[in-house]
Amino acid sequence: MNMSRFWQALGALICSVTILTGCINIPTSGPVIEGERIDGGGSEQIIRVIARPPSTGMSPGEIVAGFVQASASFENDHSVAREYLTPETAAIWNPATGTRVYEGNLALSAQGGTTTEGSTSVQLQAAEAGSISAQGRYQVSAAAREINIGFRLTQVSGEWRIASPPSGLLLSRADIDRAYRSFNVYFLDPSFSTLVPDPRMIPLDGPGVATSLMRALLTGPTDWLAPAVRTGFPDGTTLTVESVPVIDGIARIDLDPLARLTDDATRAVMSAQMVWTLGQVSTISDIEITAGGQLWQVPGASSPQPRGSWPTYDPNAMPPDTVAYLVSGTRVARLLTNGPVSVPGGAGLGEPPLSGLAITLQGDRVAGLDEKTRLWSGPMVQGEDLTEIGSGPGQSRPSFGRGEDVWALDANGVLQRTTPDGIATEVPVEGLPDRVEIDSVALSRDGTRIALVTRRGPRAILFIAVVVQREGIRIVTNPVRAESRLTEFVDVAWFQDDLLVAIASEGAAKPTLYEIDLARGTIRDLGSPDNPVRVAAAPGRSILVGTEDGRIFSPLAGTWELAANGRSPAYPGS
């Protein structure tokens, strides 16, 4: 078969193949930021790859190119891709060990001639976008990181076959967008009061999504998140049958008989984890739970349990009547439908005037910076004054997260956690690359993760790390890149449990607002009013952007509408 015809047979799945001197380039489509955000729970439709087996007379480079493209088909455990391997290698190749993701062109070049033993090698090069671990966690790669893989080929009955493929899969970003969806597997914060998402990339052309999610839930959190969360499932809990069938919208989970030994409180959190994890699947309306074939009773819960059950564990729940806050003139105010209304206490009197506001999740305390960037905090109660809790200029914008302790960088760039009575404790930050300095922080509303805006030379990098308790001390550890395209950050806020919004820029472009999907490592340009300097976001609430000239805007039908005159917008939990 002519090689050009071979690739044309893949239709829209492959752009082209160009044969150069000793090199094959396989283009892939589109930039990462284009298009709408893919919602893991919104569509589980499969777009299948029509993988083609090797044809007679293919060169070593064509065999490697065919193998990479056929790897995008998950049918029968990548059976077509295995046809490009020697029989011995095909029997032991394990695509489930993880996935490396490339974007742009794949370059394949022959490495010398054929040996007397009838073997040769081909070198593959590509720009690395990220990787998916065996647990399903997507990890963004550093900018300009490359994939370099050597393939050794040998002849089998006169045809070239691969004897040494890489462990796991090598897929393009387009393959990932087509074949995978992101879902959250839910665990619990250390107090067992709220769910925490553990994003996973699930291939749709494999076991049922419900089965994959339930297996992931029972296996436990990813290595990255594990130190920061808890689970209600006793160690060793399994499924009686290794599948979760979905019949007439009801997902049927049969846990092993040991699950009957759990107490009522444990059953409640286990139920919340199962309902919230499986409830993302669009075809599931209810979850029926049994243990060893017997009804697994949960006090106060029906059977089956509707997908909307356990709202008190909702990781995106906000207190009733949550509103935004801002600085109006010199006073901290609530942003109501009829305009800003000053809060009670010293903050509402503008004593001192604040900027860079943070509000507790319950909306009862405020923190902020004065004109000399000294840190102040206090209750929003009539007659109560603000207290200076960060002496000396140079504090970073504060953050509360779930509690009442203020998290901020001190004048020396050291992360501090300060209690309401003014006791400051250093929070060690582990695992950042050498010569990286932290510019600002934003604690998640569940208190288990923290966004770190860092700087190394001229480039700013956004990391997400976990907050753990170690020997009675809070520690920030396991920082990973949130994305790889943005080069400057003005402000960052938590939008939802798995989404950030940031005022940032790419290269020499002007700052604008981006949505950052932590599950997929992608960004989406949301646009912004001119000269944005502060962003506020919260689940179910309109994003607010403060501008340099003292105005606050919110998005409306593709434009930005003036919401109020003022500065430093903030939502509770920021």
Side-chain angles (χ1 to χ4, degrees):
M1 176 186 287
N2 181 277
M3 191 59 192
S4 176
R5 293 179 181 175
F6 173 75
W7 290 115
Q8 289 171 3
L10 294 181
L13 294 174
I14 304 173
C15 296
S16 66
V17 174
T18 304
I19 307 297
L20 302 177
T21 303
C23 179
I24 299 174
N25 290 313
I26 306 174
T28 58
S29 61
V32 173
I33 63 172
E34 288 188 355
E36 295 299 315
R37 177 178 180 243
I38 297 174
D39 184 347
S43 174
E44 291 91 46
Q45 293 184 349
I46 301 172
I47 303 174
R48 297 186 185 278
V49 169
I50 304 174
R52 302 299 184 192
S55 58
T56 303
M58 293 177 73
S59 70
E62 291 167 350
I63 287 291
V64 172
F67 169 72
V68 172
Q69 292 299 329
S71 297
S73 171
F74 286 72
E75 289 194 63
N76 300 319
D77 193 20
H78 303 271
S79 60
V80 176
R82 293 179 191 274
E83 294 186 36
Y84 288 86
L85 308 178
T86 66
E88 299 81 8
T89 303
I92 61 173
W93 178 58
N94 183 6
T97 57
T99 301
R100 297 182 75 177
V101 184
Y102 70 91
E103 57 185 342
N105 292 332
L106 260 186
L108 302 174
S109 56
Q111 300 294 298
T114 303
T115 67
T116 55
E117 291 79 18
S119 65
T120 191
S121 60
V122 172
Q123 191 72 22
L124 177 150
Q125 291 180 307
E128 185 176 89
S131 61
I132 301 174
S133 72
Q135 294 176 299
R137 176 173 174 77
Y138 185 84
Q139 176 57 58
V140 175
S141 294
R145 184 168 180 174
E146 287 193 346
I147 295 172
N148 286 280
I149 301 173
F151 290 79
R152 185 174 62 84
L153 292 89
T154 188
Q155 291 189 331
V156 176
S157 300
E159 299 291 338
W160 289 109
R161 294 294 181 262
I162 299 169
S164 61
S167 178
L169 294 174
L170 176 65
L171 299 178
S172 71
R173 185 76 214 201
D175 291 331
I176 299 300
D177 290 341
R178 175 196 56 77
Y180 288 75
R181 293 294 179 268
S182 59
F183 295 88
N184 288 324
V185 179
Y186 283 102
F187 297 93
L188 294 136
D189 74 321
S191 67
F192 288 87
S193 59
T194 187
L195 293 166
V196 178
D198 192 3
R200 309 294 179 94
M201 299 292 287
I202 304 293
L204 298 180
D205 198 358
V209 173
T211 298
S212 296
L213 288 173
M214 195 61 206
R215 288 175 181 172
L217 182 59
L218 294 177
T219 300
T222 54
D223 296 339
W224 177 78
L225 186 64
V229 295
R230 304 292 181 267
T231 183
F233 289 88
D235 190 31
T237 304
T238 62
L239 293 171
T240 301
V241 178
E242 278 297 305
S243 67
V244 178
V246 179
I247 303 172
D248 296 329
I250 300 175
R252 291 180 164 84
I253 302 171
D254 190 22
L255 301 173
D256 66 70
L258 292 177
R260 299 178 199 153
L261 303 178
T262 53
D263 58 27
D264 292 348
T266 302
R267 292 189 184 203
V269 296
M270 291 169 65
S271 294
Q273 289 182 256
M274 287 185 277
V275 168
W276 277 88
T277 297
L278 296 189
Q280 301 166 92
V281 182
S282 60
T283 56
I284 294 176
S285 59
D286 301 87
I287 291 88
E288 180 182 84
I289 307 170
T290 56
Q294 298 181 18
L295 178 64
W296 193 69
Q297 294 182 336
V298 183
S302 62
S303 182
Q305 300 181 32
R307 65 191 297 172
S309 302
W310 308 103
T312 56
Y313 292 93
D314 183 354
N316 287 315
M318 298 292 290
D321 303 321
T322 292
V323 297
Y325 294 75
L326 75 160
V327 176
S328 179
T330 61
R331 303 166 183 256
V332 176
R334 302 173 80 214
L335 183 55
L336 305 180
T337 54
N338 58 344
V341 176
S342 296
V343 302
L349 297 173
E351 298 175 351
L354 297 179
S355 64
L357 297 184
I359 309 294
T360 56
L361 190 59
Q362 298 304 319
D364 55 359
R365 293 185 67 85
V366 61
L369 305 173
D370 67 13
E371 60 182 6
K372 295 183 179 179
T373 63
R374 293 175 297 201
L375 184 61
W376 295 74
S377 183
M380 291 185 286
V381 176
Q382 194 70 37
E384 293 286 344
D385 295 329
L386 296 173
T387 302
E388 185 180 350
I389 61 172
S391 59
Q395 314 289 316
S396 76
R397 180 177 64 78
S399 181
F400 276 110
R402 192 167 188 81
E404 294 189 340
D405 293 347
V406 178
W407 293 63
L409 301 174
D410 69 10
N412 298 313
V414 175
L415 181 58
Q416 299 269 6
R417 180 172 61 91
T418 306
T419 62
D421 55 4
I423 299 175
T425 304
E426 180 182 344
V427 180
V429 179
E430 302 176 340
L432 286 174
D434 293 339
R435 302 187 300 281
V436 164
E437 298 180 350
I438 306 174
D439 277 353
S440 65
V441 301
L443 190 63
S444 66
R445 288 183 172 87
D446 55 44
T448 63
R449 293 156 298 154
I450 188 168
L452 306 172
V453 176
T454 68
R455 183 168 299 281
R456 184 176 183 179
R459 182 186 176 94
I461 303 172
L462 178 63
F463 289 94
I464 303 297
V466 295
V467 180
V468 304
Q469 187 96 356
R470 189 182 299 165
E471 298 179 356
I473 300 174
R474 298 281 183 89
I475 293 173
V476 171
T477 189
N478 295 355
V480 295
R481 294 179 70 108
E483 58 77 44
S484 62
R485 303 179 72 94
L486 302 175
T487 55
E488 194 64 49
F489 290 88
V490 177
D491 196 26
V492 174
W494 288 85
F495 189 10
Q496 297 178 13
D497 58 351
D498 57 358
L499 286 179
L500 295 173
V501 288
I503 299 172
S505 57
E506 184 176 0
K510 292 182 178 180
T512 189
L513 191 66
Y514 289 93
E515 179 187 83
I516 302 172
D517 185 336
L518 298 180
R520 305 180 73 88
T522 55
I523 62 175
R524 186 159 65 101
D525 188 344
L526 302 179
S528 79
D530 292 336
N531 302 315
V533 295
R534 180 70 196 274
V535 61
R541 273 67 180 179
S542 180
I543 295 172
L544 297 175
V545 176
T547 59
E548 199 172 67
D549 59 0
R551 295 185 295 170
I552 297 174
F553 293 85
S554 62
L556 178 66
T559 64
W560 290 90
E561 179 184 49
L562 181 65
N565 289 310
R567 300 174 290 108
S568 297
Y571 279 106
S574 65

